[in-house]
Amino acid sequence: MLCALGASVCFGTATVLQAMAARAAGAGGAGGGAAALLLRALRQWRYLAGLGLDGAGFLLQIVALRSIPIYAVGAALAASLAVTAVVASRLLHVRLSRFEWGAVAVVCAGLAMLGLASGAEGDRTGSLALKYAMLGTSVAVLVLGLVGGRLPDRGRALALGLGAGFGFGVVEVAVRLIADLDPGTLLANPATYALLIGGGAAFLLLTTALERGSVTTATAGLVIGETIGPALVGVVWLGDRTREGLTWLAVLGFAVAVAGALALARFGEAPGTETAAPVEAEEEQQA
């Protein structure tokens, strides 16, 4: 559970650092398009530090998925929105409402309940049919990415966000379905390809959703897609269980943590200049 929480802290902090680097890279109205903006951002230590935290978070996520049930890891990863909100309030001077501070507290309470109730990961390795099902799901997510951008504005962000959530959910399940790291076995395991395709497709879908649609809507879809489905797969097919007599607490903690994360969905993309500027302007006037 500590690894899952560590991954959440890494991902949430990385989002803010990368947002700060992107703001600095675009300062002064520098042009050149998205590619030029990315190149300028890559020259800044904050962006590189964010990438490093993303890598560390992914490694911690893998360790967590091999130690505790998927439902606990999924809820902890969704809690990265709470980390982003708190860090953004400090580094980007973004003001959180009382409701949002309450949502942060709710997320923490839900994770505490999950930590108390979750047991060890299930001992089932997953059938071949499940591995191919994950591969099929990852391909479906990739197809959704190819056609999702053509959807109407109202449904596009939600569809792409859900698709990204399913893709990241495939990664969570696939990690559990890869038991042998021998190169020959890895190449013969459908879960390996599900992990690669699902992760890549999820990243593309999420990027498109945040760029072309509502951040709040896309992130809400992401949270739902990456938590509920993988949790069910872990319980039904992989044998994830709770501690004796604490199933009710695990269900309650999962629901509370996810609900709190949904309340913080606007932090799916760290607030940029347009959000922070009013606060900064007010501070300058006061000075």
Side-chain angles (χ1 to χ4, degrees), residues 11-12 14-20 22-23 37 80-82 84-85 88 92 94 206-220 222-223 261 264-276:
F11 291 142
T15 298
V16 178
L17 290 176
Q18 289 164 351
M20 293 178 70
R23 285 176 57 188
L37 178 65
S80 65
L81 293 173
T84 298
L92 291 177
V94 175
L206 182 59
T207 302
T208 304
L210 294 177
E211 179 184 1
R212 300 183 181 179
S214 165
V215 170
T216 301
T217 302
T219 305
L222 171 70
V223 170
L264 295 168
R266 78 178 176 101
F267 292 96
E269 185 178 55
T273 307
E274 67 279 0
T275 303

Side-chain angles (χ1 to χ4, degrees), residues 14-276:
T15 298
V16 178
L17 290 176
Q18 289 164 351
M20 293 178 70
R23 285 176 57 188
L37 178 65
L38 177 60
L39 288 175
R40 289 194 295 270
L42 284 170
R43 297 172 188 160
Q44 301 191 40
W45 69 267
R46 289 186 182 88
Y47 198 87
L48 296 177
L51 292 178
L53 285 173
D54 281 334
F58 181 68
L59 293 177
L60 289 171
Q61 177 185 353
I62 291 177
V63 174
L65 286 167
R66 292 186 171 276
S67 306
I68 60 176
I70 294 176
Y71 62 78
V73 178
L77 294 181
S80 65
L81 293 173
V83 176
T84 298
V86 173
V87 176
S89 72
R90 296 292 183 265
L91 299 184
L92 291 177
H93 307 291
V94 175
R95 286 180 177 170
L96 302 186
S97 65
R98 291 182 180 178
F99 173 80
E100 288 170 332
W101 278 117
V104 171
V106 166
V107 169
C108 294
L111 292 177
M113 287 186 278
L114 272 176
L116 291 173
S118 62
E121 66 169 348
D123 55 2
R124 302 177 195 168
T125 57
S127 65
L128 184 61
L130 179 59
K131 295 175 182 178
Y132 275 110
M134 290 299 101
L135 179 58
T137 302
S138 68
V139 173
V141 171
L142 183 60
V143 172
L144 177 60
L146 297 176
V147 302
R150 302 176 183 177
L151 295 173
D153 291 342
R154 178 172 296 182
R156 179 169 54 201
L158 180 59
L160 293 177
L162 275 172
F166 290 141
F168 288 126
V170 167
V171 172
E172 294 174 19
V173 176
V175 168
R176 287 279 298 276
L177 298 179
I178 299 175
D180 193 339
L181 298 181
D182 176 75
T185 306
L186 277 176
L187 292 175
N189 191 342
T192 302
Y193 304 100
L195 187 153
L196 296 174
I197 297 173
F203 180 78
L204 291 175
L205 263 68
L206 182 59
T207 302
T208 304
L210 294 177
E211 179 184 1
R212 300 183 181 179
S214 165
V215 170
T216 301
T217 302
T219 305
L222 171 70
V223 170
I224 293 171
E226 74 174 348
T227 54
I228 297 177
L232 290 175
V233 172
V235 170
V236 176
W237 284 285
L238 297 179
D240 288 347
R241 293 292 181 266
T242 64
R243 293 184 182 180
E244 186 69 27
L246 292 180
T247 300
W248 66 272
L249 184 62
V251 173
L252 179 61
F254 180 86
V256 167
V258 172
L262 288 174
L264 295 168
R266 78 178 176 101
F267 292 96
E269 185 178 55
T273 307
E274 67 279 0
T275 303

